Amino acid sequence: MVKLDPWGSAQVKSYKKLMKEFGIQPFSEILNKLDDPHPYMKRGIIYGHRDFGRVAEAMKKHEKFAMMTGFMPSGKAHLGHRMLMDQIVWYQKKRALVYVCIADVEAYTVRRISRKDCLKFGMDYLAYLAAMGLDATKAVLYFQSGKDGKYHAFSKLAARKVTFNELEAIYGSLTPGKIVSALTQVADILLPQLEHGAMPTVVPVGSDQDPHMRLTRDIAARTKAEYGFILPSSTYHKFQTGLDGGKMSSSKPSSFIALDEDEKSIKKKVMNAVTGGRITLEEQKKLGGNPDVCTVFELFAYHVEKNDKELNRIYDECKAGKRLCGPCKKECAEKLAAMLKDLNEKKEVEKERIKEFVVLPDGA
Ligand code: TRP
Ligand code: SF4
């Protein structure tokens, strides 16, 4: 059995198995319903969905829809966060009503992050999000502990609609903090509809968040008579492999690249990254490399190469033995460093600007 724990380790061995077990649909099936899909959708990085059809339809017909997602403020911003930010900005350009929450209730109660650090990390993520191109004046950006009214009321009233056994079946062992966090996330996901009435809502997340989607959809169905919710939709993205070939983890600095990483360190990490290259140069030229298991190719696909044709060229050149790992890593590192330098310059400006558009945590 595949286990998904939103508070555990997030490594997935087989996406196929996971989709089968939980009834997540393949994204490829629905790709042709979009006029201009996000590169992650075309590249198979966004691999699955629930009920995305109604969101695709709203996009096509220019009807209103919302995008809601959240960040756990548990550490430094890194490329994993950037990947979600990229999707958020894309949805806003596609005219979604954008809601982004900083899950400080969850980080404090479940991850035991101090209130001060929740604020620091959370504001940092939001500044990067604005630097990526989000128009903060048109989005709802909030910390869970600071949002008022309907939202907190709903997160409590929702408790009536689920049994302890159901929660245990979804999440495994529970703590009071986990129960509060789960019900808070239900209110997050339904917030656009609580504030603006029924509309299709898409929640782009990693697979580890699917338990929250299932709970939210159950509660949305059970409160339909009272609130009239449309069941929220979701998309699921794959996680990037750690640069050392293992799991990308904030406790292993060699596995990830932070968004404020300096150029020297970026270059060092990329030059040391695990590739799909052969042992000798001769072999590489003769047999070609394997971009499918290469963390450097992943960097191109997730972050560095926006153009699909160029990405395909890198892929083909690698397979044909026309691309060698040394220069390939160097190219990747240089482009990534330039991109992050630009991002950090923009972030410095946004840091001050966004403050007035964020619903801050209680007491801040
Ligand atoms: N639980 C999410 C995480 O660990 C953060 C989160 C909070 C969230 N509320 C959300 C994600 C609503 C999507 C939608 O990253
Ligand atoms: Fe990876 Fe580039 Fe080497 Fe191919 S050439 S295996 S893409 S580093």
Side-chain angles (χ1 to χ4, degrees):
M1 200 181 86
V2 192
K3 268 192 72 185
L4 280 179
D5 177 359
W7 300 293
S9 86
Q11 209 174 22
V12 177
K13 287 202 192 75
S14 162
Y15 286 101
K16 260 209 189 104
K17 245 170 118 179
L18 187 144
M19 294 193 340
K20 207 167 143 224
E21 185 143 336
F22 294 109
I24 294 172
Q25 303 301 313
F27 202 89
S28 56
E29 248 172 45
I30 204 157
L31 195 59
N32 63 2
K33 299 264 188 307
L34 290 168
D35 294 331
D36 175 28
H38 188 281
Y40 293 164
M41 296 169 175
K42 290 185 271 183
R43 296 174 184 185
I45 292 172
I46 293 174
Y47 70 92
H49 73 97
R50 285 184 193 276
D51 274 348
F52 189 76
R54 60 168 73 95
V55 177
E57 202 174 297
M59 289 170 92
K60 194 154 224 154
K61 293 185 177 158
H62 282 232
E63 287 165 1
K64 68 172 183 174
F65 75 103
M67 191 258 19
M68 195 292 135
T69 192
F71 294 95
M72 168 97 85
S74 58
K76 250 174 164 314
H78 55 68
L79 288 179
H81 298 105
R82 185 191 173 280
M83 172 196 188
L84 184 55
M85 292 171 188
D86 200 295
Q87 298 175 57
I88 298 170
V89 172
W90 182 83
Y91 277 113
Q92 191 180 52
K93 296 212 167 97
K94 298 285 174 204
R95 306 169 15 270
L97 176 57
V98 166
Y99 274 71
V100 178
C101 98
I102 299 297
D104 65 327
V105 167
E106 185 181 13
Y108 178 81
T109 60
V110 180
R111 293 283 180 87
R112 311 191 90 77
I113 309 289
S114 73
R115 300 281 291 137
K116 210 174 129 217
D117 280 349
C118 285
L119 176 64
K120 186 182 81 186
F121 293 137
M123 287 308 285
D124 214 46
Y125 300 171
L126 293 174
Y128 274 118
L129 180 57
M132 292 275 300
L134 188 87
D135 180 352
T137 66
K138 293 203 184 94
V140 178
L141 310 173
Y142 68 97
F143 282 72
Q144 287 175 327
S145 71
K147 190 81 179 131
D148 58 2
K150 284 183 196 167
Y151 167 75
H152 277 293
F154 186 80
S155 73
K156 291 171 184 63
L157 297 172
R160 164 167 155 170
K161 304 291 177 179
V162 62
T163 68
F164 194 78
N165 282 342
E166 285 174 321
L167 287 181
E168 269 191 321
I170 297 175
Y171 295 104
S173 81
L174 291 166
T175 62
K178 285 185 184 180
I179 298 178
V180 166
S181 298
L183 291 173
T184 304
Q185 185 151 341
V186 170
D188 289 328
I189 294 171
L190 296 172
L191 185 57
Q193 299 192 71
L194 279 169
E195 293 193 332
H196 293 276
M199 69 177 115
T201 304
V202 58
V203 185
V205 280
S207 332
D208 63 319
Q209 297 297 305
D210 187 52
H212 294 307
M213 280 319 296
R214 280 179 269 137
L215 176 66
T216 306
R217 286 163 58 91
D218 283 346
I219 290 180
R222 292 170 192 173
T223 50
K224 206 170 166 81
E226 293 156 80
Y227 291 89
F229 294 127
I230 293 174
L231 293 202
S233 312
S234 48
T235 66
Y236 301 96
H237 51 247
K238 292 182 180 169
F239 291 110
Q240 239 181 298
T241 314
L243 297 176
D244 57 2
K247 197 187 147 215
M248 203 174 258
S249 155
S250 46
S251 55
K252 273 189 302 168
S254 62
S255 74
F256 72 94
I257 290 174
L259 296 186
D260 68 354
E261 194 115 12
D262 66 58
E263 195 171 335
K264 220 172 117 198
S265 171
I266 294 173
K267 288 191 172 154
K268 196 167 148 209
K269 285 185 182 181
V270 177
M271 293 316 286
N272 287 328
V274 170
T275 71
R278 305 277 173 180
I279 298 177
T280 66
L281 221 65
E282 286 70 50
E283 267 189 286
Q284 177 104 352
K285 284 182 185 161
K286 206 164 86 199
L287 303 168
N290 187 356
D292 292 313
V293 297
C294 177
T295 66
V296 178
F297 185 75
E298 275 188 32
L299 282 174
F300 277 115
Y302 280 74
H303 302 288
V304 176
E305 191 49 75
K306 300 202 163 37
N307 184 302
D308 291 325
K309 264 201 198 124
E310 282 300 308
L311 188 71
N312 283 335
R313 190 172 59 83
I314 295 172
Y315 188 90
D316 293 340
E317 281 179 5
C318 172
K319 285 217 121 173
K322 288 187 191 131
R323 189 171 257 272
L324 301 177
C325 295
C328 181
K329 286 193 281 195
K330 192 159 172 282
E331 178 191 337
C332 183
E334 276 166 8
K335 287 185 170 163
L336 184 61
M339 186 182 91
L340 292 182
K341 184 163 175 267
D342 176 60
L343 184 66
N344 281 297
E345 281 166 14
K346 292 187 174 133
K347 183 215 166 194
E348 280 312 301
V349 181
E350 294 298 343
K351 216 164 81 181
E352 293 305 313
R353 272 204 346 184
I354 57 156
K355 279 186 186 155
E356 64 176 295
F357 304 109
V358 179
V359 178
L360 292 170
D362 185 41

